Amino acid sequence: MDFYDRDVVSIRDLTREEIESILDLSEKMVPYATGEKVDRVLHGKILGNLFFEPSTRTKLSFESAAYRLGCDVIDVSEMSMTSISKGETLADTIRMVDAYCDLIVLRHPYEGAARLAANFSINPVINAGDGAGSHPTQTLLDLFTMRQAKGSLDGLNVVLVGDLKYGRTVHSLAEALTMFGAKLTLVAPDTLQMPDEIINHIKEKGCRPAKTTSLEEVIDKADVLYVTRIQKERFPDPAEYKKVAGTYRINNAMLREARRDMAIMHPLPRIDEIAPEVDSSEHAKYFQQAFNGVPVRMALLCAILGGEI
Amino acid sequence: MDVKAIKEVKLAPIRNGTVIDHIATGQALNVLKILGVNEYMDSTISVGIHVSSRKSAEWKDIVKIEDCELDQKTVDKIALIAPDATISIIRDYYVAEKFRVVLGDHVTGLAKCCNPNCITNKNEPIETEFAVISRRPTKLRCSYCDRELCNISDNLL
């Protein structure tokens, strides 16, 4: 699969075969991601890590992925530190950064920012999250974690719970899972259910998701329980946030009904959706999932910049 | 008076100008919006709303503009809200040219995205771009933010 010099803006840009090839390469990267093996295959390359919105995992895991492969990193962490605060357009910022590095990773508060960056940049662009839009590398690491936990992605029963309206990770994930014939159950308060546009898109791909507000009703059938935080910062009205905050809280008592090998995932950060007592159970895969950001992003950097391991 | 001999003319023929026919009923006012009809215009415009079609049993709207021929951008905008419309260029009462509007696979610079958080609404040096995802009815998806355009006629540029 040829990823050399390609942009990764949306999971919709990738086929099932392309996703599988990235997951296979990610598997190979695991010993390099832990430092067990060392290969500076991207020595001499420079990654431009532009984060115009707060991020811990995505930013650090991209940096870690780059350094593990010998790639240097230049970065921006705040919009106020750039000429954007002086009124420069994103297009101009991208053209300038493009001249300083070999690949741009962009996190931005506006939807479509990564597509714009890809249009203006000569070098490839990876979308690290644009507003409430896409976050394709999160989807890839979610799929990688599911495959690792369950052995295969085909036909999994996946329950998505929490904020399915504003949570960008679940939109891309739901679309990607339909490529693998997953059975989706969407658990959310009515005001936070998945937008019709996304549901229509996954229906077109042959998936018929079930919707409910009760997690207890469906937890016993899940192979994977994917929990998301109800994101305060995405709510236009704080009163609406207060109404739904804390609706779902996973604890050990609730997990008695679950399959023994059910995997619990969460893109993190969590607030109170998963009780700390769950962390030590066999179900908890969310810290493994956070680590998996490194091998998956290493695989993408290598494939796009032409490094071979 | 012989009633049969009376041929009712709802919109008088024009000598020179453009006839936009087969507009989906209810869309004539949006066509006028696209044409930018205002008090500074020096053409006469006749509008037929909910007119019975001679060719089919369906209803349609018609707009006739005297002494004016449309540019390509205006025709492309009309295709967005009236995909079956025909344009006839009239010269000295005769149809000099007649064609149907064409909606391509992509639409560039004709409408704005209805998502206020889309990068195309943030003063960047770019034209809006949409993919046509359905033709009956017309549905557009923003090529930047992936959001479906909620109301085409309200978002025409």
Side-chain angles (χ1 to χ4, degrees):
Chain A
M1 220 46 81
D2 191 9
F3 272 90
Y4 181 68
D5 212 25
R6 253 180 84 167
D7 301 310
V8 177
V9 172
S10 162
I11 202 73
R12 289 182 188 174
D13 298 342
L14 304 178
T15 64
R16 175 186 167 134
E17 290 70 30
E18 286 170 339
I19 290 173
E20 282 176 330
S21 83
I22 287 294
L23 301 189
D24 292 343
L25 188 55
S26 306
E27 193 72 59
K28 273 189 183 177
M29 292 292 174
V30 172
Y32 297 92
T34 57
E36 192 186 319
K37 289 184 182 176
V38 176
D39 192 335
R40 304 288 187 227
V41 70
L42 296 183
H43 177 71
K45 300 286 185 187
I46 299 175
L47 168 71
N49 224 12
L50 306 184
F51 278 71
F52 296 124
E53 235 192 5
S55 164
T56 311
R57 270 152 299 279
T58 309
K59 182 171 185 294
L60 290 181
S61 62
F62 262 112
E63 283 176 9
S64 174
Y67 287 131
R68 292 282 190 201
L69 294 165
C71 179
D72 286 318
V73 179
I74 53 174
D75 75 318
V76 164
S77 309
E78 277 184 59
M79 231 186 243
S80 60
M81 305 284 281
T82 70
S83 294
I84 285 187
S85 65
K86 299 175 192 163
E88 185 176 57
T89 61
L90 177 64
D92 279 2
T93 305
I94 291 296
R95 280 192 273 222
M96 181 266 301
V97 176
D98 187 35
Y100 301 157
C101 63
D102 302 294
L103 185 151
I104 293 174
V105 169
L106 178 70
R107 155 83 52 106
H108 199 277
Y110 299 145
E111 284 108 72
R115 187 73 70 192
L116 176 145
N119 289 351
F120 280 90
S121 171
I122 294 166
N123 286 308
V125 171
I126 298 179
N127 185 4
D130 55 350
S134 296
H135 193 358
T137 63
Q138 178 71 45
T139 305
L140 289 169
L141 77 90
D142 290 343
L143 295 174
F144 183 65
T145 308
M146 281 184 201
R147 195 172 85 163
Q148 213 174 34
K150 311 302 300 178
S152 163
L153 289 172
D154 286 298
L156 288 178
N157 263 317
V158 180
V159 174
L160 303 171
V161 60
D163 172 8
L164 308 185
K165 183 179 179 184
Y166 298 107
R168 61 185 160 204
T169 61
V170 283
H171 299 168
S172 303
L173 181 61
E175 289 185 14
L177 282 167
T178 57
M179 291 187 213
F180 295 89
K183 294 173 195 74
L184 297 180
T185 305
L186 311 174
V187 184
D190 291 336
T191 52
L192 290 180
Q193 254 303 351
M194 195 163 279
D196 286 343
E197 199 183 329
I198 306 288
I199 292 188
N200 291 340
H201 188 80
I202 58 182
K203 278 184 178 169
E204 279 167 22
K205 305 279 174 194
C207 177
R208 291 273 172 275
K211 282 197 224 176
T212 175
T213 54
S214 167
L215 179 58
E216 288 80 0
E217 274 177 18
V218 295
I219 198 168
D220 58 324
K221 295 179 188 70
D223 293 313
V224 176
L225 180 63
Y226 192 97
V227 188
T228 62
R229 174 171 65 99
I230 295 185
Q231 302 177 86
K232 195 177 178 181
E233 65 270 26
R234 303 271 177 228
F235 277 77
D237 181 358
E240 287 299 310
Y241 169 72
K242 277 190 183 158
K243 274 189 212 166
V244 291
T247 311
Y248 302 105
R249 190 173 156 81
I250 319 294
N251 55 31
N252 281 343
M254 188 182 270
L255 293 174
R256 279 199 286 271
E257 302 298 320
R259 290 177 181 170
R260 278 180 59 193
D261 62 349
M262 180 189 76
I264 301 177
M265 293 172 57
H266 191 302
L268 302 178
R270 66 172 157 174
I271 306 296
D272 54 6
E273 311 83 64
I274 304 175
E277 65 184 20
V278 178
D279 297 355
S280 53
S281 80
E282 284 291 305
H283 298 295
K285 303 292 179 201
Y286 31 93
F287 293 118
Q288 178 65 34
Q289 183 185 358
F291 162 75
N292 284 342
V294 180
V296 168
R297 288 172 177 128
M298 286 172 79
L300 273 177
L301 296 183
C302 246
I304 293 170
L305 290 173
E308 281 191 22
I309 280 194
Chain B
M1 187 190 291
D2 181 1
V3 177
K4 281 182 186 169
I6 299 173
K7 190 180 175 192
E8 196 179 8
V9 178
K10 289 209 167 65
L11 291 177
I14 58 173
R15 180 168 189 164
N16 291 304
T18 303
V19 176
I20 309 166
D21 200 353
H22 301 288
I23 302 167
T25 186
Q27 291 295 333
L29 296 179
N30 285 325
V31 170
L32 296 183
K33 204 163 91 178
I34 292 170
L35 297 173
V37 175
N38 56 41
E39 70 264 39
Y40 304 110
M41 213 163 171
D42 46 12
S43 318
T44 299
I45 296 177
S46 325
V47 181
I49 293 178
H50 212 246
V51 179
S52 63
S53 174
R54 267 186 298 169
K55 287 186 185 164
S56 70
E58 290 175 13
W59 299 92
K60 63 179 183 176
D61 290 356
I62 304 179
V63 172
K64 296 185 177 187
I65 320 138
E66 288 180 38
D67 303 318
C68 176
E69 293 185 12
L70 307 181
D71 61 27
Q72 191 57 47
K73 195 166 182 179
T74 306
V75 174
D76 291 345
K77 280 188 194 175
I78 292 170
L80 285 175
I81 57 159
D84 294 321
T86 58
I87 311 277
S88 301
I89 312 292
I90 311 294
R91 290 183 193 132
D92 210 12
Y93 294 111
Y94 284 94
V95 177
E97 214 182 306
K98 183 173 181 177
F99 57 92
R100 195 172 166 161
V101 297
V102 178
L103 180 61
D105 294 335
H106 286 89
V107 172
T108 304
L110 300 182
K112 70 180 171 68
C113 182
C114 59
N115 171 10
N117 215 34
C118 176
I119 195 75
T120 58
N121 287 319
K122 303 293 177 185
N123 291 324
E124 292 290 336
I126 44 171
E127 280 197 300
T128 59
E129 198 181 308
F130 297 87
V132 177
I133 53 170
S134 160
R135 289 172 184 279
R136 295 285 185 279
T138 306
K139 286 185 184 175
L140 306 180
R141 177 178 288 143
C142 175
S143 303
Y144 283 88
C145 74
D146 267 349
R147 194 79 64 89
E148 192 180 314
L149 186 55
C150 22
N151 186 332
I152 296 175
S153 55
D154 280 357
N155 287 290
L156 290 172
L157 287 170

